[in-house]
């Protein structure tokens, strides 16, 4: 197994069979961590980047089987923030030194392209030194282009799984796998710093589908990869499914660091939800980003993608301080600059799909 880890650390790619072996093996976890954190240290020192997350709407027209804010969940109280609410979040965040804001939400048709563009322009006008990351789901290429032209810098769209059959088990028929993939290639072509990602331990996931996820990462060469454990939500069809494990999430984080040494890799809230020290462990496995919540506390609980989501009661400032303390406790330091991706050529088209 050591040879395979070494091969990945030097070539940053493996065959599908090799991926399946390395994904399954737990023989050399300490060595894997060591090699992964060596890259993290080389490119980022002991720095952990912060991104202020603004969950601006939980209305969603989609019905993903895993997600707590899916359309058919009638139990969730829906909300959307106004432009002024969003700018207030930015103001608070800016005062706390955040220089990247992530706008995330369900696919809410109230937020037309015009409204999104207006929000981006207002944010850029007030905070020209900040990076804007969007996470609004699937749109036409023309819409992505308009947001980019208005000033959006980055786009997060987890691919969820790179295996079409697996994708169909996680999503309704109205959400074709091909569309999601097309969105990611469109975003890349426009010039965004693109983030993809997946849940670890989602229903029907196998070492083969995970191997395909890793092959997809090598092909797309994203600037960011968001992964976290799948955590069931009681009002979804997957309520009774088992959750992803800490151990497997950490294993995948380290493998991603070896595959894309300079990638921006968040240690996610979902990981912090299934273990009180989850986010610290995620950084020690190779992660280098944390995303404290800047949403108003009044709506936090309503953006419940999965059960028991943490940090739903804290003010932005508390979240920021808490994470700073947590990172210090493991010898890392939160940094507030934009932390643009250091991936070479992230603004080029990358490899096109076959
Ligand atoms: N509508 C946007 C944002 C989705 S929410 C979009 O489509 O991109 C962000 C991410 O949360 C999703 O991509 C999914 O991977 C994750 N997520 C949703 N439900 C989850 C659950 N039950 N457990 C863990 N992660 C979940």
């Amino acid at each position: 197994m050591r040879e395979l880890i070494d091969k990945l650390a030097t070539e940053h790619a493996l065959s599908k069979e090799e991926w399946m072996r390395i994904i399954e093996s737990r023989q050399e976890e300490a060595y894997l961590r060591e090699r992964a954190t060596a890259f993290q240290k080389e490119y980022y020192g002991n720095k952990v980047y912060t991104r202020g997350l603004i969950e601006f709407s939980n209305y969603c027209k989609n019905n993903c089987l895993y997600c707590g804010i899916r359309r058919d969940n009638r139990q969730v109280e829906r909300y959307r923030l106004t432009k002024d609410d969003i700018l207030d979040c930015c103001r608070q965040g800016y005062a706390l030194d955040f220089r990247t804001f992530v706008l995330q939400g369900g696919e809410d048709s109230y937020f037309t392209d015009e409204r999104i563009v207006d929000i981006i322009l207002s944010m850029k006008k007030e905070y020209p030194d900040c990076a804007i990351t969007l996470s609004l789901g699937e749109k036409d290429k023309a819409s992505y282009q308009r947001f980019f032209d208005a000033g959006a810098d980055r786009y997060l769209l987890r691919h969820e799984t790179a295996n079409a059959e697996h994708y169909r088990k996680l999503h309704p028929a109205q959400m074709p796998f091909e569309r999601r993939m097309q969105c990611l290639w469109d975003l890349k072509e426009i010039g965004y710093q693109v983030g993809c990602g997946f849940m670890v331990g989602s229903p029907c996931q196998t070492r083969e589908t995970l191997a395909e996820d890793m092959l997809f990462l090598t092909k797309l060469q994203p600037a960011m990869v968001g992964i976290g454990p799948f955590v069931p939500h009681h009002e979804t069809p997957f309520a009774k499914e088992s959750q992803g494990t800490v151990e497997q999430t950490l294993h995948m984080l380290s493998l991603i660091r070896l595959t894309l040494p300079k990638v921006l890799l968040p240690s996610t809230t979902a990981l912090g939800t299934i273990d009180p020290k989850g986010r610290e462990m995620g950084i020690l496995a190779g992660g280098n980003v944390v995303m404290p919540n800047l949403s108003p506390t009044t709506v936090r609980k309503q953006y419940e993608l999965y059960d028991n989501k943490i940090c739903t009661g804290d003010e932005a400032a508390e979240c920021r301080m808490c994470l700073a303390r947590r990172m210090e406790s493991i010898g890392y330091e939160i940094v507030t600059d934009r932390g643009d991706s250091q991936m070479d050529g992230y603004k080029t088209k990358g490899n096109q799909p076959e």
Side-chain angles (χ1 to χ4, degrees), residues 58-64 69-72 78 106-110 136-139 172 174-175 179:
N58 72 351
Y59 282 88
C60 195
K61 67 177 164 71
N62 285 337
N63 221 4
C64 306
I69 62 168
R70 66 200 303 268
R71 185 187 64 220
D72 286 355
R78 304 283 169 170
E107 293 199 19
D108 179 356
S109 22
Y110 169 84
L136 326 172
E138 301 171 10
K139 307 270 175 190
Q174 297 76 11
M175 285 183 75
R179 171 153 159 92

Side-chain angles (χ1 to χ4, degrees), residues 4-14 19 22 255 258-259:
L4 214 46
I5 294 171
D6 289 338
K7 180 175 179 193
L8 180 59
T10 39
E11 295 176 20
H12 313 298
L14 295 176
W19 272 122
I22 206 170
L255 293 178
L258 293 185
T259 312

Side-chain angles (χ1 to χ4, degrees), residues 60 62 64-69 104-107 135-138 155-160 175 180 197-200 226 228-233 236 238 270 303-307:
C60 195
N62 285 337
C64 306
L65 277 74
Y66 45 85
C67 186
I69 62 168
Q104 189 181 84
E107 293 199 19
S135 180
L136 326 172
E138 301 171 10
Y155 205 104
L156 293 176
L157 183 72
R158 290 191 178 179
H159 64 285
E160 313 298 356
M175 285 183 75
R180 197 137 188 118
F198 53 89
M199 296 175 289
V200 177
F230 161 73
V231 183
H233 185 287
T236 63
F238 289 160
Y303 200 82
E304 201 185 38
L305 305 178
Y306 45 82
D307 288 342

Side-chain angles (χ1 to χ4, degrees), residues 67-227:
C67 186
I69 62 168
R70 66 200 303 268
R71 185 187 64 220
D72 286 355
N73 180 5
R74 308 275 172 230
Q75 301 309 315
V76 60
E77 202 184 315
R78 304 283 169 170
Y79 74 91
R80 56 174 70 98
L81 302 183
T82 63
K83 182 171 91 170
D84 285 340
D85 294 335
I86 294 171
L87 289 170
D88 272 345
C89 294
C90 296
R91 199 162 302 128
Q92 276 196 41
Y94 196 89
L96 293 167
D97 291 334
F98 288 101
R99 293 297 177 269
T100 296
F101 299 116
V102 183
L103 279 183
Q104 189 181 84
E107 293 199 19
D108 179 356
S109 22
Y110 169 84
F111 286 101
T112 56
D113 289 0
E114 288 70 29
R115 289 194 167 113
I116 296 291
V117 164
D118 180 46
I119 291 168
I120 296 169
L121 291 174
S122 305
M123 286 170 71
K124 277 283 167 182
K125 191 165 160 226
E126 276 195 55
Y127 308 102
D129 54 334
C130 291
I132 299 179
T133 304
L134 301 178
S135 180
L136 326 172
E138 301 171 10
K139 307 270 175 190
D140 293 337
K141 190 173 183 187
S143 306
Y144 287 148
Q145 185 72 56
R146 291 180 68 182
F147 305 157
F148 188 76
D149 294 341
D153 305 275
R154 308 173 180 157
Y155 205 104
L156 293 176
L157 183 72
R158 290 191 178 179
H159 64 285
E160 313 298 356
T161 170
N163 177 288
E165 207 179 310
H166 184 211
Y167 192 91
R168 280 195 288 276
K169 292 179 179 154
L170 302 179
H171 300 94
Q174 297 76 11
M175 285 183 75
F177 170 71
E178 293 70 24
R179 171 153 159 92
R180 197 137 188 118
M181 288 290 155
Q182 189 56 53
C183 285
L184 283 162
W185 291 109
D186 287 347
L187 288 162
K188 182 117 192 184
E189 195 165 272
I190 290 169
Y192 282 96
Q193 295 179 41
V194 176
C196 66
F198 53 89
M199 296 175 289
V200 177
S202 62
C204 307
Q205 186 175 65
T206 62
R207 65 194 180 115
E208 184 174 7
T209 65
L210 282 169
E212 291 175 30
D213 288 324
M214 297 309 291
L215 291 170
F216 176 65
L217 295 190
T218 40
K219 200 156 72 168
L220 184 71
Q221 293 287 313
M224 307 167 280
V225 179
I227 71 160

Side-chain angles (χ1 to χ4, degrees), residues 267-336:
S267 188
T268 54
T269 307
L271 185 54
T273 294
I274 64 166
D275 188 295
K277 289 272 188 279
R279 282 169 301 175
E280 289 89 321
M281 292 191 281
I283 299 298
L284 293 170
N288 64 341
V289 176
V290 287
M291 297 170 66
N293 204 316
L294 293 181
S295 315
T297 45
T298 46
V299 301
R300 291 272 185 96
K301 279 207 166 50
Q302 286 144 257
Y303 200 82
E304 201 185 38
L305 305 178
Y306 45 82
D307 288 342
N308 306 315
K309 188 175 165 214
I310 54 167
C311 311
T312 54
D314 299 345
E315 295 288 346
E318 295 172 55
C319 276
R320 161 85 166 76
M321 296 316 148
C322 163
L323 273 171
R325 265 197 316 275
R326 286 172 180 273
M327 294 303 116
E328 275 162 29
S329 78
I330 54 168
Y332 284 78
E333 174 194 3
I334 277 194
V335 288
T336 51

